[in-house]
Amino acid sequence: MRMLSHFRPRPAIRPMPASRLVPLIVAVALFMENMDATMIATSLPAIAADIGTSPIALKLALTVYLLSLAIFIPVSGWAADRFGARRVFTAAIIVFMAGSLACATAESLMGFVGARFLQGMGGAMMTPVGRLVIMRTVEKREFVTAMAWFSIPALLGPISGPPVGGFITTYFSWHWIFLINIPIGIVGIFLALRFVPDLKAIEPRPLDSLGVVLIGIATSGLVFGSSVASLGVLPALAWQAMVVAGGAAALAYLAHTRRTMHPIIDLRLMRTPSFGLSLGGATLFRIGVGAMPFLLPLMLQLSFGLTPFESGLITFTGAAGALVMKFAAKPILKRLGFRPVLVVNALIGAGFLAVIGFFTDATPVLLMMALLLAGGFARSLQFTSLNALAFADISPARMSQATSLWAAAQQVSLALGVAIGGTFLELSMSLHGGALRLADFHFAFFGVALVSALSIVFFLRLPEDAGSEMSGHVVGPRGGLSKLQ
C-alpha cells in the first residue's frame, strides 16, 4: 500500500479562468497596435526628414489612422455577429500586418498616410471585437478584473514602444518599427485560433449600409477636414467642403437613426445613463490624452534637442504608471465607488497634463519622469473605471452595438486630440509669427488639459450608486458608506 501511494494521480492543474485567459489573448493584438502607435509618435521627426515633409504635417498620419478606426469600427460589431468573432479578429490582424508592411515601404507623405489608413482598417476590427469577446465570456462581477487583465499586455505596448522605437530609429532605421509587427501578429493569430471562442449571433441584424456611409463621411469630413485646415496641403475650399459635408452627414445620420430599426451605431444607447455619461466624459478626457503622444515627443526632440531614443526613455514612464495602477483600480473603486473616483481623478489627470506645459530643457529628467509616471496612474484609473462602468447596464443583446459605439467614439476623440493639439501649436505660432518655439508646446498642453478637465461636467451627473454591482461599493440610504457584507 505504501508503494501504491507513490502512484496516486496528481491533482489536475487548474486552467486559467476566462476572466484572465481571454483578455490576455485578445490583448496581444492591442499590444501590437499600441506599441506601433507609440513608436511612430517617437519617430515622427526621423520619418518626416526621410520622406521629405515636416513633423507637424505628419500629424496627418496619426489622424488618418485614428480616422480609419472610427470609420470601420461601426461595422465591427455587425461583422462579429455575422461571421464570428474569432474569424473577424484574426482577419483584422492580417490586415494590420499588411498595413505595417506598406508603412515600411512608403516613400512619400501621401504614401505613408495611405498605408496608415490600411493599418487602421485592421485595427478597427481588432480592439472592439476583442472587447466584445470579453464582454460575452466574462460575468459582470468580473468585468473590472477582466478589463485590468486585458489592459496589462496592451499597456506593455506603450511602455516598450517609446524606448524600443527610439532605439530602432536612432541606431537602425525607422522602417523596422513597422516590420516587428509581423512576428507579433503571427503569435496573435495562433493564440486566437487556439483559444478565442467563435461567438456568433443566432439572428444577426441586417447591415445598415446607408448608416455606414453616413458615419464614414461624417467622421472623415469633420476630423480630417479640421486637421488639415492650417497645414496648407489642400486648398481652403477643399477642407471647408470636407467640414461642411461631414456636418451634413452627421445631421443626416441623426435623422436616419429615427427611421431605421437596426442602425449601425444605435445612438439610443446614450439614453442609458451609465453608458451615455461615461461616453461623454471619456470623449472629452481622452482628447487631452490623445494629444500627448503627438506633442510630447516633438517637444523633447525639437525643443530640447533629445534623440528619439532619449525621448522614448522619458515618455514611456507614463505608460509604466498606467500599468502599475491596473492592480490598484479594483480596491480603489470598491472603497470609493465610480462617481467620486471619476470626478476627482478627472481633475488630477488634467492637472498632470498641464504640468507638462512647465517643462523646460532645465527641468531635471528624473522630475519629468516622476510627473509622467504619476500622470499615468491617473489616466489608467480613469479609463479602467470608464471601460467597466460604461457597460454596467447594457444587455447582452445590445453589447455588440455598445462596444462599436464606444470604440468609434474613442478613436474620434483620440483623432480630435491630435488635431486639436496641432491646432493649438499652429495658433500659438501664428500669434508670434515665427518658427516653432517651446512656448508653443506649453500653450498646447495648457489648452488640451483644459479640454480634459471639462469632462467632470458628465461625471458629476452620475448617480451615487453607479456601477455598484461591478465595483462592490455599497452606498447607504443617505448617500454614505454602509458596511460591506
Side-chain angles (χ1 to χ4, degrees):
M1 296 293 293
R2 233 178 245 177
M3 292 181 62
L4 290 175
S5 67
H6 291 288
F7 296 94
R8 289 175 183 169
R10 295 181 180 179
I13 299 176
R14 294 179 61 188
M16 185 179 289
S19 62
R20 297 183 185 181
L21 178 61
V22 174
L24 284 172
I25 294 170
V26 171
V28 171
L30 193 56
F31 167 81
M32 177 174 64
E33 188 178 349
N34 286 356
M35 185 172 72
D36 180 271
T38 50
M39 284 197 298
I40 186 178
T42 302
S43 307
L44 279 181
I47 298 174
D50 199 30
I51 64 177
T53 188
S54 71
I56 296 181
L58 262 186
K59 79 173 183 180
L60 288 178
L62 302 182
T63 303
V64 79
Y65 175 81
L66 297 170
L67 260 180
S68 181
L69 292 176
I71 291 170
F72 292 101
I73 276 174
V75 188
S76 63
W78 172 85
D81 287 343
R82 175 67 177 82
F83 301 107
R86 183 173 60 202
R87 184 181 300 177
V88 173
F89 186 68
T90 53
I93 296 177
I94 293 172
V95 173
F96 188 87
M97 291 164 62
S100 298
L101 286 173
C103 285
T105 57
E107 297 180 349
S108 66
L109 175 60
M110 288 299 105
F112 191 73
V113 168
R116 289 290 287 171
F117 188 83
L118 180 60
Q119 265 193 316
M121 291 175 62
M125 298 290 179
M126 285 195 299
T127 303
V129 172
R131 185 182 283 111
L132 178 60
V133 171
I134 295 171
M135 295 299 178
R136 287 182 171 172
T137 55
V138 176
E139 296 180 10
K140 274 194 175 183
R141 58 188 177 86
E142 296 291 338
F143 269 11
V144 175
T145 299
M147 295 312 297
W149 281 98
F150 170 64
S151 301
I152 288 173
L155 284 171
L156 292 176
I159 291 174
S160 58
V164 170
F167 180 82
I168 291 173
T169 302
T170 301
Y171 298 106
F172 296 96
S173 169
W174 63 266
H175 303 83
W176 287 99
I177 69 177
F178 297 103
L179 295 176
I180 63 174
N181 290 334
I182 307 305
I184 298 173
I186 292 172
V187 172
I189 291 171
F190 170 78
L191 293 175
L193 292 174
R194 177 70 178 83
F195 296 106
V196 173
D198 197 22
L199 303 172
K200 291 183 182 180
I202 298 175
E203 295 183 3
R205 66 187 188 277
L207 177 63
D208 175 21
S209 302
L210 178 58
V212 172
V213 173
L214 291 174
I215 286 291
I217 295 174
T219 53
S220 58
L222 290 171
V223 180
F224 191 73
S226 60
S227 182
V228 301
S230 56
L231 291 180
V233 296
L234 291 176
L237 186 60
W239 67 258
Q240 290 168 1
M242 286 183 184
V243 173
V244 171
L251 293 175
Y253 183 76
L254 291 176
H256 171 70
T257 56
R258 299 189 185 100
R259 304 189 302 266
T260 305
M261 184 175 297
H262 300 288
I264 191 66
I265 287 184
D266 191 355
L267 298 178
R268 289 168 293 194
L269 288 164
M270 300 291 288
R271 299 173 186 169
T272 304
S274 58
F275 184 85
L277 294 174
S278 295
L279 183 65
T283 298
L284 279 179
F285 187 79
R286 196 177 278 111
I287 285 175
V289 174
M292 183 178 170
F294 168 66
L295 294 173
L296 185 56
L298 288 183
M299 183 177 76
L300 294 176
Q301 294 178 51
L302 300 182
S303 295
F304 294 2
L306 302 182
T307 67
F309 184 44
E310 292 168 335
S311 168
L313 288 176
I314 294 174
T315 58
F316 92 99
T317 52
L323 177 62
V324 174
M325 177 52 72
K326 293 298 176 185
F327 297 99
K330 188 170 184 178
I332 290 175
L333 290 171
K334 186 173 183 178
R335 177 70 181 87
L336 301 175
F338 279 101
R339 184 180 182 272
V341 167
L342 290 173
V343 170
V344 175
N345 196 55
L347 297 177
I348 294 174
F352 278 111
L353 278 176
V355 163
I356 302 175
F358 293 101
F359 287 1
T360 69
D361 55 2
T363 304
V365 170
L366 289 180
L367 177 59
M368 286 193 286
M369 295 176 72
L371 292 171
L372 292 174
L373 183 74
F377 292 157
R379 292 190 298 275
S380 176
L381 178 58
Q382 199 75 352
F383 289 130
T384 298
S385 304
L386 289 166
N387 284 333
L389 177 62
F391 302 95
D393 302 316
I394 301 296
S395 65
R398 308 182 76 190
M399 194 65 77
S400 64
Q401 286 195 319
T403 55
S404 294
L405 175 53
W406 181 266
Q410 173 179 326
Q411 303 309 327
V412 168
S413 60
L414 289 173
L416 284 172
V418 175
I420 291 173
T423 299
F424 277 128
L425 276 182
E426 292 149 8
L427 175 61
S428 180
M429 291 171 63
S430 68
L431 292 176
H432 62 70
L436 187 63
R437 302 174 182 174
L438 178 58
D440 301 326
F441 286 104
H442 292 171
F443 180 81
F445 275 111
F446 295 147
V448 296
L450 177 60
V451 175
S452 285
L454 292 175
S455 63
I456 65 166
V457 173
F458 291 92
F459 302 139
L460 285 170
R461 296 174 58 193
L462 287 167
E464 292 186 7
D465 61 347
S468 57
E469 181 182 353
M470 288 183 174
S471 65
H473 174 77
V474 179
V475 179
R478 295 184 180 178
L481 276 173
S482 66
K483 292 182 179 180
L484 299 176
Q485 301 300 320

